[in-house]
Amino acid sequence: MSRSHRIAGGQIDRTSTIRFSFDGLPYTGHPGDTLASALLANGVRLMGRSFKYHRPRGPLSAGSEEPNALVQLRTGARQEPNSRATVAELFDGLTATSQNAWPSLRLDAMALNDRLSTFFAAGFYYKTFMWPAAFWEKVYEPMIRRAAGLGRLTREEDPDSYDKGFLHCDLLVIGAGPAGLMAALTAGRAGARVILADEDFRMGGRLNSERFEIGGQPGADWAAGAVAELAQLPTVRLMSRTTVIGAFDHGIYGAVERVSDHLPEPPPGKPRQTLWRIYSRRAILAGGATERPIAFENNDRPGIMLAGSLRAYANRWAVAAGDRVAIFTNNEDGLRTATDLHAKGVDVVAVIDARADGPLLPGIRHLRGAEVIDTRGRLGLTSITIRQANGRTETLRASALGVSGGWNPNVNISSHHRARPVWDEAILSFVPGKAGPPGLSAAGAAAGRLSTHGALASGQTEALAALADLGRASRAQPLPEAEDAPVSITPKWYVAGGKGRAWIDPQNDVTVKDVKLAHQENFTSVEHLKRYTTLGMATDQGKTGNVLGLAIMAGLTGRTIPETGTTIYRPPYTPVAMGTLAGRSRGKEFKPTRLTPSHAWAEEQGAVFVEVGQWLRTQWIPRPGETHWRESVDREVLATRRSVGICDVTTLGKIDIQGTDAGAFLDRVYANTFSTLPVGKCRYGLMLREDGIVFDDGTTARLGEHEYVMTTTTANAVAVFRHLEFCRQVLWPGMDVQLISTTEAWAQFSVAGPNARRLLERIVDQDISDAAFPYLAAGNITVGGLRARLFRISFSGELAYEIAVPARYGDALIRRLVEEGRTFDAVVYGTEALGVMRVEKGHVAGNELNGQSTALNMGLGKMVSRKKDSIGMVLSGREGMMDPGGYRLVGVKPVAPDGKLTAGSHFLDIGAAAVMENDGGWLTSKVYSPHLGSDIALGYLKAGDRRIGERMRAVNLLAGTDTEVEIVSPHFFDPEGERLRG
Amino acid sequence: MIIDHPILGPRDAQEFVYLGDASLMNRPDGLSDGIGAFHDYLYNRANPVGEHRELWYHEQGDRSWLVVTRNTLTHEITKVELARDVARASGRSR
């Protein structure tokens, strides 16, 4: 390990020492350090390997734009790949490892790719891995996937929690540099509700990295004072460590607050990160600017970084990235780095200034009209070769090189609504376009105002404009004095000549040669350039390199940069962890879980539950000694058909429909008629979509002259209610009809089987004899004096009732039914037994109500009344839907009693090949019928109603089954319906 | 997005369910109009760039169906009406 590279000053707390490790070696740093600044202070420049060529890399920047210094942070389940060392706050015990290198960062075997770079130029995927075609899936893709990629996932569950939150404000200020602070001060002092968000852990932006003075005090001190004042203002919310990631519609911004990332692990009860949705009336983008490099040969070595970052490491973090420093610049800002480092006693060997004339820096070797043409140093910079204005070349020993090709305003968020940034010739950069997100304006460097005075002035101006929009008059205040130096930039995108590679996008290894190749192959539009070379498609989204790439393309095509244009940005501004987007919606909390009223009882019995949408329903209830699910299900079916069974059917949707037009309304929404239904009766209803496909089914009862209660399937409860509201409010707004969902208001149980009535007679207060309460009767009753509802309907084909009580009595009712049922050996059955019994009866359910089937397909064509207008009536009569050769619901049983049926099997004629042309339809639902002692199934078969009695094959190539079957009526059990009328 | 509900004021679009073109309210009469009219009603829609009137349902709210006038390019919402009122104004009744 080399000696410390710490120098005087900086915003680190030297009274406290932090221990951390990188690739297993221990280091120390101080509070205020980032991982990158602490590693540089320890003399570590090599922090990563590039994506494609595995070139040794060190940090290019000191901020969130970092393309190179990507590491894995933490260990175990908290390990996170692709973390930017330049923004990772140091904490005691931090463990970081390098990625994308094997066996080690210093000796990476995959660096062989660098020697083979000729083969890996832009577009190499498209050209290299062409043939043989079969190789792509088996050989090329796995190989590429192994070789490429950066970090690795832990494959362990994330132990941290993530929150989502909502904030409202008058003015959102994005970025807390001089412009953002001045904007927040102006608006906050005027009493506006302000949110000031900044991605850094210390507010102040570039002021923390500069030696500028504001109003006679150091810029960083002025920033600290402004933050202190803002903290006192009651309507201002300061959010550091918070990145605004995107501008969405209507003044809504997304922001990620890194609540606990600066700590070893989140404190108890705290999330790791919070995703904020910020509702703003106005917003100011004061996100600053990002410096860009100049491309020259071998410009990617550790030690070569952006000049402003080199300066930031020196001024803010008290780190000299090298003992002999050179600067390569095409603008005035590069000179500041030379001046600042020189003032701090660092040896500045030369300033290579691409500009031909202007005053020279005093006391520093300042070469005008010069350029850097090559560098050396395998794992870190050792020397640079320069070419002076007179053509003379010279090699200089240097361990750090600061490069400045100008500053790109951070326009990202301003283009999230597709606004194109516009070219500003004065600063040779894109600035936000006019048609940005409504309510958003830009200030400071983000708007191209690159001086401190410009930032302060535009921050105030934009805040005043925002206040005026908000109806709060306020006046400009005198601004504190600050520098207002001109940018003075000359175009210099890359150093021409030479044969080596000059990087423009170091993360994706895109070089000047790749841009030239794209041009040569006619991928000259910026969108093609991006996709052909992958320029700007890495995790940094080309924050430093994009402009360089398109400027070079502009030069090659002879167009101007504005003519060439730029790609635009999408959210997020910086990468966001998947866990942050998921928030609390993980695992069991992914969706709500709805429990049936009998859940507690069923749980006590050891029931097996099944997810049905959001509901958990009892699937079956095993008894001691039962080892296979079918033993339980067969027993439940047989016991129900023999005596009586009870099933919780609360999950079915229930909709109360009232009003003088309730009956007429039902006639419109159901294919069959309900206005003629007598009070006290119920009827099966079939509901179509307007296109004639069956939407839903269920029984609907008429409880009064103007009062109905509809049941829907469990799956469609919400959709049917929405549809009915549409019909009521939009299609027939003159109808007197009101709706309310009562699905969760009533606990409802099916009581089915020959002893169903005898069991219920012990529970209900009324006479429910067949005479008093015949088949399809419905009405209000009482249970021990409590209001209840009774419906004599049957899904199982048995004598059956559904009894409903207010949901809070559901638990008591199931216990009472079970208790009274002991006399009859009653059984409680689950959804599997329910399914067996409905298939035995040929009733359609979800598998048949598949969103593709008509009433005719289901054998229910006669239910569609043509005498009245109803949803779907007209279009269900379309020629294609009336096809006599179309699918019809049939029953299926194997010819051999022990023959196995598989759901999803396709029907084929005996002897026909298993190809699509011979496909006759498919098997929708299959169960084992304990009564028939064999598998039985329902299915859709072409012209199936005319094929009853025929033999076919049910073939499932995936399951490997091929069974000879007989096509039968779908009514396997009690086809005359004698039992349910009993 | 924020939808300025005529009764409840500004509400987040997440509370709503989107259906589609507001022309879906112009349902033909099943007894007098034929398959052609229903076919046009159900399948033939304009897909405009710019102003679009569309149906939204405040499912996580008061269950109102709304006609929202939204610019498909900018998502600017210029008008929000109760669909019931729009339907009645266009002559729909029962």
Side-chain angles (χ1 to χ4, degrees), chain A residues 166 249-250 252 277 279 417 661 668 690-691 718 721-722 725-726 728-736 739-740 866-875 877-879, chain B residues 1-3 12 14 17 19 24-31 33-35 38-39 41-43 55 57 59 63-65 74-77 83-84 87-88 92-94:
Chain A
F166 300 82
D249 291 310
H250 305 162
I252 300 172
R277 179 188 287 242
Y279 297 79
H417 286 198
D661 289 319
R668 297 279 177 83
E690 194 68 273
D691 63 1
V718 171
F721 191 69
R722 181 188 307 153
E725 283 289 4
F726 176 78
R728 185 180 79 91
Q729 296 177 36
V730 184
L731 297 185
W732 304 298
M735 278 192 168
D736 172 27
L739 310 172
I740 190 162
R866 306 273 164 198
K867 293 184 195 137
K868 63 180 180 71
D869 184 13
S870 68
I871 302 283
M873 182 268 279
V874 171
L875 292 183
R878 281 182 286 179
E879 194 182 343
Chain B
M1 292 206 298
I2 294 170
I3 294 175
D12 194 287
Q14 283 193 332
V17 173
L19 179 67
L24 280 170
M25 67 171 53
N26 306 323
R27 184 180 183 273
D29 187 306
L31 293 181
D33 299 320
I35 287 176
F38 272 87
H39 188 274
Y41 161 69
L42 196 61
Y43 298 113
L55 287 156
Y57 177 54
E59 188 149 82
R63 293 154 31 202
S64 287
W65 276 94
T74 64
H75 291 185
E76 186 190 6
I77 291 174
R84 179 195 299 274
R88 280 190 170 138
R92 296 203 70 87
S93 176
R94 38 191 304 133

Side-chain angles (χ1 to χ4, degrees), chain A residues 956-977:
Chain A
N956 189 321
L957 296 178
L958 292 173
T961 55
D962 186 340
T963 307
E964 191 175 352
V965 298
E966 185 184 344
I967 306 303
V968 297
S969 154
H971 309 293
F972 292 93
F973 184 80
D974 184 29
E976 303 309 318

